[in-house]
Amino acid sequence: QVQLVESGGGLVQAGGSLRLSCAGSGSISSFGAMGWHRQAPGKQREWIATITSGGTTNYARSVKGRFTISRDNAQNTMYLQMNRLKPDDSAVYYCNGLTVTRNYWGQGTQVTVSS
């Protein structure tokens, strides 16, 4: 089994950038797709980006044009580059990896964007 651990969260001013990492304890090549979700207090967990094993990416409208998802199978790591951050982006960010039979989740990393 592959365990996923997020890192890179923190406090940033509006308009700034952060890069989140999602490191696998083993090979992430087994995931047909990986992605990022976020959850703000009092809100449902929101899907924001997905990347398939073939490199196809999709983004939620709320982040499209500002966030970029990527993966490096050799490093067993997925990334989320976040630019032009807004206070509404503040949330706990979770990475996930999807196999045919199971969805794996990391523990989350906090992103706080100040105005």
Side-chain angles (χ1 to χ4, degrees):
Q1 294 183 349
V2 177
Q3 292 182 278
L4 302 174
V5 179
E6 302 94 335
S7 62
L11 176 64
V12 64
Q13 290 187 7
S17 298
L18 285 173
R19 188 175 77 157
L20 305 184
S21 298
C22 174
S25 62
S27 175
I28 64 170
S29 298
S30 61
F31 295 125
M34 299 186 71
W36 290 93
H37 295 69
R38 66 188 183 187
Q39 188 166 26
K43 293 186 176 181
Q44 289 277 315
R45 187 170 296 187
E46 174 192 18
W47 167 81
I48 57 173
T50 297
I51 184 166
T52 70
S53 60
T56 301
T57 59
N58 286 283
Y59 299 91
R61 291 180 179 178
S62 58
V63 305
K64 189 175 183 180
R66 299 188 297 119
F67 291 10
T68 303
I69 187 172
S70 62
R71 63 191 288 178
D72 187 337
N73 288 349
Q75 296 296 319
N76 293 318
T77 304
M78 178 180 64
Y79 303 96
L80 184 69
Q81 178 66 46
M82 306 185 296
N83 298 325
R84 303 192 304 280
L85 284 161
K86 306 174 181 179
D88 286 347
D89 294 320
S90 296
V92 177
Y93 283 71
Y94 300 89
C95 70
N96 79 297
L98 183 67
T99 68
V100 173
T101 59
R102 186 176 297 181
N103 193 9
Y104 296 84
W105 291 91
Q107 83 294 330
T109 186
Q110 177 71 52
V111 172
T112 303
V113 184
S114 63
S115 60

